[in-house]
DNA sequence: ACCTGAACACCGTTCAAGT
DNA sequence: ACCTGAACACCGTTCAAGT
């Protein structure tokens, strides 16, 4: 029995292994299929083993949220605040769309006060550049985050149910123009309400 | 054994009974506690009995969504489009806040393409009054819905976790001004972008 | 330090059978 | 027509015990 490759040992699971496998399952099968039991099976380990590396499933999801958001690019210098905000909003949408159910993962993590708030702060900085006070900028940035997460969640849930054939597939599918319209509306609002004497 | 009141019969459960009890559990214990088994127990019935009245749990939740949204009032006649939109957005927030986890119930129902779209259509009508074309108005109305649902979901999830002592309670709790700011921003955007020649 | 084994306390849904 | 009983195929989490 020496020539046959008997069950690979492959122990010493790392925290990073767990997160990477979870991200793979998320992207390939979606958030509802990302269960502790399925994750453990994919890693060839008992479910309880995961709790040595992460305190809870929600903590794993928070880690996924951070990884999804890590891909949002640094801003170009010298951009107009409106251009910058527009570009950041589109980049955030792209990052969320890059993983299946990305928006829901990030939204639920944000709601629990876990994970990074980098994208919101990036929005806020661009809005400060328009002349708004820091606390107002954070408020506006939060509103924009709600729009982005709501829009992309909706997009991704629709994709999910269309692929299952549940919803009537309306055919028309490119929601990028709708998204841009929403962002432009938001920016036009900021331009209209911003403190006078700024340019 | 005739004087003692033996286990009340109370059969013939109606669809309305199921929805009403579900709404009670939702409001008192929250969406995570609204399970088919708990609902059945509260109605003194087996879980499988619920499936005679509703095809699925999601269908029950869609019914709750409609009931939550039923309380949004008819608009005053003769209002300015901006005033009307503002009033409707605040009324929607109030309706969502009237039941625990109301925003999440409505958001998930909307995402599945179930339940009423009355609030969105009401938004769209006010936006048409500003001079926008019907399809543009629906786009903008959808964006506003995303903001409202996102904002109120966030508010309610925060309440939930604060009451459990999970999140650090920051003390400052009235998010109505933040909400109004977001709505005003949105309306200012519409005012800036609306077709010329309208007043 | 890292993981197994076994249990605890649950889920939504289906379906034959009863009344 | 309306509901029970029993099952199917799952959940997240804990914790003593092993190595």
């Amino acid at each position: 029995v020496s020539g046959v490759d008997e069950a690979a040992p492959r122990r010493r699971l790392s925290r990073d292994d767990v997160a990477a496998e979870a991200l793979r399952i998320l992207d390939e099968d979606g958030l509802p299929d990302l269960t502790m039991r399925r994750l453990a099976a994919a890693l060839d380990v008992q479910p309880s083993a995961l709790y040595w590396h992460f305190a809870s499933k929600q903590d794993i999801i928070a880690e996924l949220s951070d990884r999804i958001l890590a891909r949002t690019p640094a801003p170009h210098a010298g951009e107009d605040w409106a251009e910058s905000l527009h570009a950041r909003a589109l980049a955030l949408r792209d990052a969320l769309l890059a993983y299946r159910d990305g928006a829901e993962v990030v939204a639920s993590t944000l709601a629990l006060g876990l994970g990074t708030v980098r994208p919101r702060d990036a929005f806020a900085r661009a809005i400060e550049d328009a002349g708004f006070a820091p606390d107002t900028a954070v408020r506006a940035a939060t509103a924009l985050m709600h729009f982005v997460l709501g829009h992309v969640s909706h997009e991704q849930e629709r994709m999910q149910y269309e692929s299952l054939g549940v919803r009537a597939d309306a055919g028309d599918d490119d929601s990028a123009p709708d998204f841009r319209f929403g962002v432009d509306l938001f920016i036009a609002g900021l331009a209209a309400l911003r403190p006078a004497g700024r340019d």
Side-chain angles (χ1 to χ4, degrees), chain A:
Chain A
V1 292
S2 69
V4 277
D5 44 4
E6 55 230 6
R10 241 268 345 275
R11 276 290 132 64
R12 289 306 102 131
L13 191 65
S14 75
R15 190 180 157 91
D16 184 75
D17 292 335
V18 175
E21 186 62 32
L23 196 54
R24 220 214 68 231
I25 293 175
L26 175 73
D27 197 38
E28 287 180 17
D29 303 294
L31 190 55
D33 279 11
L34 178 54
T35 68
M36 297 300 267
R37 300 176 118 95
R38 194 172 173 334
L39 178 53
L43 292 165
D44 212 12
V45 107
Q46 296 297 314
S48 48
L50 301 174
Y51 290 86
W52 199 89
H53 299 280
F54 287 91
S56 67
K57 185 183 178 181
Q58 195 47 250
D59 275 32
I60 295 179
I61 291 175
E63 174 66 30
L64 299 188
S65 175
D66 286 357
R67 289 183 181 221
I68 290 168
L69 294 176
R71 299 214 158 276
T72 46
H76 294 190
E79 268 177 337
D80 178 39
W81 69 266
E83 276 169 14
S84 167
L85 196 54
H86 192 97
R88 283 173 193 281
L90 295 190
L92 176 56
R93 173 170 177 267
D94 288 343
L96 296 172
L97 284 177
Y99 292 94
R100 199 191 320 195
D101 293 338
E104 213 188 322
V105 165
V106 172
S108 78
T109 298
L110 204 86
L112 299 195
L114 304 174
T116 181
V117 290
R118 244 191 27 184
R120 192 204 58 192
D121 291 345
F123 284 166
R125 262 186 316 264
I127 294 169
E128 282 186 51
D129 287 347
F132 289 92
D135 62 325
T136 310
V138 169
R139 266 187 241 164
T142 303
L144 183 55
M145 281 295 288
H146 283 143
F147 165 70
V148 173
L149 290 172
H151 184 100
V152 181
S153 286
H154 203 152
E155 266 185 87
Q156 289 181 317
E157 292 200 41
R158 249 182 29 197
M159 288 175 193
Q160 197 179 322
Y161 287 96
E162 275 169 9
S163 75
L164 287 170
V166 173
R167 271 176 64 96
D169 190 331
D172 184 354
D173 228 41
D174 185 15
S175 38
D178 279 15
F179 183 78
R180 273 196 294 271
F181 178 75
V183 172
D184 288 341
L185 209 51
F186 188 87
I187 290 174
L190 285 172
L193 291 191
R194 75 192 180 124
R198 275 298 216 123
D199 195 54

